[in-house]
Amino acid sequence: MKKIALYTMMLIVAGFWGCVKDDTYPGAKLSPYIAIYDIRAMYKGQDIQLNAENMFGAHSLRCLVVSDHRAGNMPDGMLVVQDSSRLAQRGIAIPVGAAAAQYEAGDSVIIPVSGATLTRRDGIFQLAGVSAAGIQVISKNNPLPINRVTTNKIIANPEVYQSTLCMIVKGGFDPLPGPGDVLSGNKLLNDGFGDIPLLTDPESDIANVQMPVLANFRSLVWMRPGTGGDFVPELRVRKTDDITTLSSTVEIAPIVITGFLADPAGLTDNNYEYIQLMATRDIDFAVTKYSLVTTNNAGASTPTGIPQNGWATGGLRTYKFNLTSGTVSKGEFFYVGCSTKLINGTGSTSISNAKWIRSFNYGSTAGDDFGQKTGNLLANSGNASGMAVFEGTVVTKESRPVDVVMVGQNGQILSEGANQIGYRITNTDWYDVINPISLASQPFFRSGTNTLSVSYVAGVFIKLGGEYSPALGRWMKARIQINTKLTTESQLVDIEGEEATKLR
């Protein structure tokens, strides 16, 4: 009975407190700082004056300076700041006249913005009416985040990236810089994802810097007038240290991998798999020899464990085709693989009229120099597989390919520790022998940043559609995986036509 009475009393008390209206939360305190993201979200096409009400009780920004006027390549009079509040990095420009030059990148500042006007001028979000006298520098030389961004993302969403510091990795120029070519003026930068202008003031300290063949560019994203009243993004480096040269020489891949059929229709893959490639120059294979090696790391493939000799491991792990006869023209597709020369397995269209440089029955014949006869050149298990092209016909564990594409991630393919063993890569649109950010060595697939791979998809021809420039020795549009469903009636144009790799 006592328990019932106690329970009833608790319900009455709970009901009383539930009916009491209280708009306060004991101990709560409004932050004096507002995120740049929230300020910019207020802009609806019209200028707006900031105050405590529309800033939710805040009155200041707490952010990092990303502009640096010392080299003379920043927009005049603009202090540019960014923050990463609200899980979103955003920037904004603050016109403070000559005082902008007093601040350096990495300065942590508090900026009173109550009473300032949020506006957009020449495509740039700005806070007008901020007094430089009220800006307080809290600390200096703070590290700035490395925000690696591809040019296509900036081009697609310039409002997101404007007034922020972005790292463009593996950027190059078209046309290729010659001796004496410098950055001064408006240059078109390409990182394999798109073209974007890089503007360098002819009077700046950066103007006479030699144009690199390949480099990282840490740049401020700005805007400039486009066509029809629109504004388009451009990049501005702040100082010479914003440019990290990766290469001063051009490496041209003579052959690139453009597609493959790893899982043809029918009950068996045996002698129906093939790899599609493209020559970036005229090649007489009797004169200039190459080789193609495939790897299959399915659980049953032997020898098991880490491939001790990399691409030259042999057994059921790697299989080699020597390309020593025939000719191919620049821009022409050619094929290596099965002797059946059918587009999609048993009973499908013959593509024997395509350019086949090397084909034989790998199910009944051992590879050239290494590789046991096999029913599968490439794994269908989800474990990693892949293909690589080499100059010459001698391939060892030290050989570096001229192009390589990997499929999947799983399996024992890379050893741990300082002396790594695995499948070597080369500099491509997907892979880097040297980490482009840290500059650390990463010569193997799955080491460092070399983690990109084709996703295994059953029953399709996988196109690797991209755009390669032999003149520049780089991918102007990085390869993307295009899963192309084939039937028994499919024709050669279905794998060589629309969306296939092209030369620029």
Side-chain angles (χ1 to χ4, degrees):
M1 190 71 181
K2 289 181 180 179
K3 289 183 179 179
I4 295 173
L6 178 61
Y7 180 69
T8 302
M9 183 176 291
M10 291 174 65
L11 287 175
I12 293 171
V13 171
F16 171 77
W17 283 109
C19 293
V20 174
K21 180 173 175 62
D22 188 352
D23 292 331
T24 65
Y25 181 83
K29 184 179 180 181
L30 292 173
S31 172
Y33 306 116
I34 186 170
I36 295 174
Y37 179 93
D38 290 327
I39 285 182
R40 284 183 38 177
M42 296 182 203
Y43 189 81
K44 306 300 181 184
Q46 300 292 328
D47 292 359
I48 181 170
Q49 189 173 47
L50 304 182
N51 53 52
E53 184 177 354
N54 57 26
M55 290 194 294
F56 318 107
H59 54 70
S60 299
L61 291 176
R62 185 166 187 162
C63 47
L64 286 174
V65 175
V66 291
S67 55
D68 195 324
H69 289 263
R70 288 174 293 180
N73 200 43
M74 289 289 97
D76 288 339
M78 287 293 183
L79 172 64
V80 187
V81 296
Q82 71 179 40
D83 66 20
S84 298
S85 300
R86 305 275 284 170
L87 301 178
Q89 182 170 284
R90 291 293 188 274
I92 201 160
I94 304 175
V96 293
Q102 299 174 7
Y103 306 95
E104 298 176 4
D107 286 352
S108 176
V109 293
I110 293 177
I111 306 175
V113 295
S114 185
T117 299
L118 173 63
T119 185
R120 193 173 189 185
R121 298 174 183 169
D122 298 328
I124 293 290
F125 287 107
Q126 302 181 28
L127 289 178
V130 172
S131 171
I135 299 175
Q136 182 183 0
V137 178
I138 303 302
S139 60
K140 300 183 73 66
N141 299 316
N142 293 283
L144 294 170
I146 297 176
N147 186 24
R148 179 177 178 176
V149 183
T150 53
T151 55
N152 61 319
K153 291 183 178 179
I154 297 174
I155 293 166
N157 295 289
E159 293 188 359
V160 170
Y161 297 100
Q162 66 165 262
S163 300
T164 66
L165 201 59
C166 294
M167 176 78 83
I168 304 299
V169 174
K170 297 199 299 184
F173 299 98
D174 186 7
L176 199 67
D181 286 344
V182 295
L183 289 174
S184 179
N186 193 338
K187 312 294 184 183
L188 204 58
L189 186 68
N190 181 286
D191 66 343
F193 295 90
D195 298 319
I196 195 167
L198 179 75
L199 183 67
T200 306
D201 191 317
E203 302 300 320
S204 71
D205 295 345
I206 308 169
N208 292 318
V209 171
Q210 175 73 32
M211 292 173 66
V213 170
L214 197 68
N216 295 341
F217 295 83
R218 201 169 191 190
S219 313
L220 188 72
V221 179
W222 205 244
M223 304 291 283
R224 68 174 189 173
T227 58
D230 291 333
F231 292 88
V232 295
E234 67 180 12
L235 304 179
R236 296 189 183 210
V237 295
R238 305 160 303 161
K239 52 188 178 178
T240 54
D241 290 349
D242 281 342
I243 303 171
T244 303
T245 298
L246 301 176
S247 177
S248 56
T249 59
V250 180
E251 296 182 12
I252 301 174
I255 296 170
V256 293
I257 299 164
T258 57
F260 58 93
L261 183 72
D263 190 11
L267 298 178
T268 179
D269 295 353
N270 190 355
N271 200 29
Y272 292 110
E273 297 169 290
Y274 58 88
I275 293 98
Q276 181 195 70
L277 307 105
M278 177 181 282
T280 69
R281 64 178 68 150
D282 294 344
I283 300 175
D284 182 343
F285 289 101
V287 176
T288 308
K289 296 176 172 58
Y290 293 89
S291 50
L292 181 141
V293 180
T294 61
T295 177
N296 182 340
N297 298 280
S301 297
T302 54
T304 58
I306 303 299
Q308 295 298 312
N309 287 310
W311 290 102
T313 295
L316 292 175
R317 295 294 291 276
T318 64
Y319 191 95
K320 182 163 174 273
F321 294 86
N322 287 340
L323 313 180
T324 58
S325 63
T327 62
V328 63
S329 301
K330 177 180 178 180
E332 187 176 14
F333 290 107
F334 68 95
Y335 297 85
V336 173
C338 58
S339 63
T340 55
K341 302 180 183 179
L342 301 179
I343 197 167
N344 190 36
T346 309
S348 65
T349 304
S350 172
I351 53 171
S352 58
N353 59 323
K355 181 62 68 77
W356 289 84
I357 292 300
R358 185 79 165 124
S359 61
F360 54 81
N361 188 340
Y362 52 80
S364 60
T365 307
D368 296 321
D369 304 316
F370 57 78
Q372 297 176 15
K373 59 185 179 180
T374 177
N376 285 94
L377 294 174
L378 302 169
N380 298 150
S381 65
N383 278 6
S385 59
M387 58 221 83
V389 180
F390 296 86
E391 286 186 318
T393 57
V394 177
V395 176
T396 71
K397 66 178 182 179
E398 303 296 334
S399 298
R400 176 177 159 183
V402 298
D403 195 23
V404 55
V405 169
M406 297 298 292
V407 184
Q409 299 276 338
N410 300 328
Q412 294 182 299
I413 57 176
L414 181 68
S415 65
E416 302 296 331
N419 299 314
Q420 288 187 322
I421 298 171
Y423 295 109
R424 290 190 180 274
I425 50 82
T426 191
N427 293 321
T428 72
D429 48 344
W430 289 13
Y431 308 123
D432 300 287
V433 173
I434 302 295
N435 185 309
I437 302 296
S438 68
L439 303 184
S441 176
Q442 48 177 46
F444 300 102
F445 173 61
R446 230 168 59 181
S447 62
T449 61
N450 294 320
T451 58
L452 286 178
S453 63
V454 174
S455 299
Y456 171 71
V457 180
V460 299
F461 178 86
I462 295 179
K463 291 179 184 175
L464 298 173
E467 188 173 317
Y468 187 80
S469 170
L472 303 180
R474 59 178 287 112
W475 289 91
M476 307 303 287
K477 292 183 180 178
R479 283 171 286 192
I480 59 173
Q481 178 176 347
I482 302 168
N483 301 323
T484 306
K485 188 70 176 177
L486 300 179
T487 68
T488 54
E489 287 77 34
S490 295
Q491 303 295 315
L492 192 60
V493 67
D494 295 320
I495 60 175
E496 292 189 356
E498 187 178 0
E499 299 179 318
T501 291
K502 299 174 179 60
L503 296 187
R504 178 181 290 195

